[in-house]
Amino acid sequence: MRQIAALPYRFEDGADGPVRVLLVTSRGTRRWVIPKGNSMSGVSRHAAAALEAEEEAGVTGWACPTPLGSYRYRKRRGNGAALMVDVEVFPLAVQQELPEWKEAHERERRWFTLGEAANNVDEADLGDLIRSFDTTEFRAATARTTILGTVAQKTGISRMFGWFQKLLPQKANFFDLFEAHVATVVAGADALARLFSDGRGRQDHIREIKEREHDADEIIREVLSLVRRTFLTPFDRSAITRLVSSIDDAIDRMNGAASAIDLYDFSDFDQEMRDMVALIVDSSRVLAEAVPLLRDVGKNGKRLHELTERLVRMEGHADDIHASGVKRAYQAFGETNPMGFIVRREIFNQLERITDALEDVANEIDGVVIDHA
């Protein structure tokens, strides 16, 4: 048997805060679970997961078309049989909590930290899946040692290196800037999702994306200045330059998409466009986990590779959605409304450029891992 499920999440203090996930109680045993159900005929699996989240947990938002993973549990049938069920889990970036929903009187809902949620669910596989979703727990687990400190630990000549380090200029904290830089991408993706949601406050969402892009410009200027002024960098200067340039390109592309929507005054968003935005939102979340792990590439190399592999997979999925969306737009508007098709194709192309840019960041991170892990 196969089912689908949603993992509703949000950032506690806006786009810059820690991640929280929403669990609901089951109707029978009152244990903590995630919203799940059966696939629906004529409805994509991620869209079905979003519908389950709305019915069971009273939340709406952006369901990523690429699943986070899957877990197994045994479901007891009315005839007494306990059958194994495979559940595919789709991340859902929550945009709205409804005060009333279909199963409000049958379930309790509660926001948990990732560690709390993982400990409260019964299925070990689901707990591992929730932990793998993390940004903050990996930050806490990541050692913030300097390069010279690492060398000293490995060679046993810490006194010499400690003395030598005092003679060097103070090492700039590139990692804080990397993390601030990727936070602009997460915030930009969140604003892009709101822009594609329902049209309310569209100018505010467009303005926020532009402001986030300006914030990113300030950060990259600071990074490039530090690269020139700093004697000791955490990894190759060229790798730092490529990494921040690729992150900056991602938020630039978001600004380009918002500008195109503003220019054409476009609001008739196709489902494929919304699906691509959902991929962008979740890709940004994955980057928010990956970048802090660069503080200790040797320790976190395996996890970084897993995350970049997921980003590349999501970009491939976005390519498929892009092709399907452009084809459907041409069939609907190509002959009867050529300008309508041209505008839609431009919006699709802008979204594809964002997913391409996010993949480029993943490739740069992977390059750092290969060189330094």
Side-chain angles (χ1 to χ4, degrees), residues 128-187:
D128 290 342
L129 206 60
I130 292 172
R131 289 188 183 92
S132 76
F133 196 73
D134 193 24
T135 57
T136 55
E137 287 192 4
F138 267 91
R139 291 185 195 182
T142 303
R144 286 163 165 76
T145 56
T146 64
I147 291 178
L148 289 179
T150 302
V151 173
Q153 291 172 10
K154 290 183 177 181
T155 61
I157 49 176
S158 57
R159 289 184 181 179
M160 184 190 78
F161 272 99
W163 169 81
F164 179 59
Q165 191 170 10
K166 291 178 182 178
L167 302 180
L168 297 175
Q170 184 176 1
K171 185 170 74 69
N173 197 339
F174 284 92
F175 297 110
D176 284 351
L177 291 170
F178 295 159
E179 291 167 27
H181 204 185
V182 81
T184 65
V185 175
V186 175

Side-chain angles (χ1 to χ4, degrees), residues 9 24 33 55 93 99 105-107 123 125 148 160 177 183 215 247 261 276 294 297 301 310 320 324 329 359 368 372:
Y9 73 92
V24 296
V33 297
E55 290 184 2
H105 302 294
E106 302 175 83
R107 300 179 187 270
E123 299 83 4
D125 290 350
L148 289 179
M160 184 190 78
L177 291 170
D215 292 343
I247 296 173
I261 290 169
M276 291 185 74
L294 292 172
V297 178
R310 175 171 171 78
D320 294 338
S324 175
E359 184 191 27
V368 173
H372 298 277

Side-chain angles (χ1 to χ4, degrees), residues 200-272:
R200 291 181 298 177
R202 65 184 278 129
Q203 289 304 317
D204 288 341
H205 304 322
I206 292 170
R207 179 178 177 181
E208 180 179 352
I209 294 169
K210 292 182 182 297
E211 290 175 351
R212 298 290 186 172
E213 191 268 337
H214 292 326
D215 292 343
D217 287 343
E218 293 294 330
I219 294 169
I220 192 173
R221 278 194 288 269
E222 179 64 19
V223 172
L224 296 178
S225 176
L226 282 175
V227 167
R228 292 192 296 271
R229 293 187 283 111
T230 304
F231 178 81
L232 185 65
T233 56
F235 38 83
D236 295 346
R237 296 167 189 272
S238 60
I240 291 174
T241 302
R242 292 195 304 270
L243 175 63
V244 295
S245 295
S246 63
I247 296 173
D248 201 58
D249 192 40
I251 187 66
D252 285 346
R253 297 299 187 184
M254 292 179 191
N255 187 35
S259 297
I261 290 169
D262 192 29
L263 173 66
Y264 298 118
D265 195 23
F266 186 79
S267 59
D268 186 20
F269 303 116
D270 300 331
Q271 184 57 49
E272 290 88 349

Side-chain angles (χ1 to χ4, degrees), residues 7-22 92 111-117 130 133-137 139 186 282 284-286 288-289:
L7 183 62
Y9 73 92
R10 70 181 184 191
F11 294 93
E12 187 171 274
D13 301 315
D16 303 323
V19 174
R20 296 289 184 267
V21 295
L22 186 70
L92 177 85
W111 289 98
F112 292 89
T113 67
L114 292 165
E116 291 169 347
I130 292 172
F133 196 73
D134 193 24
T135 57
T136 55
E137 287 192 4
R139 291 185 195 182
V186 175
D282 203 50
S284 301
R285 177 198 60 79
V286 172
E289 177 183 346

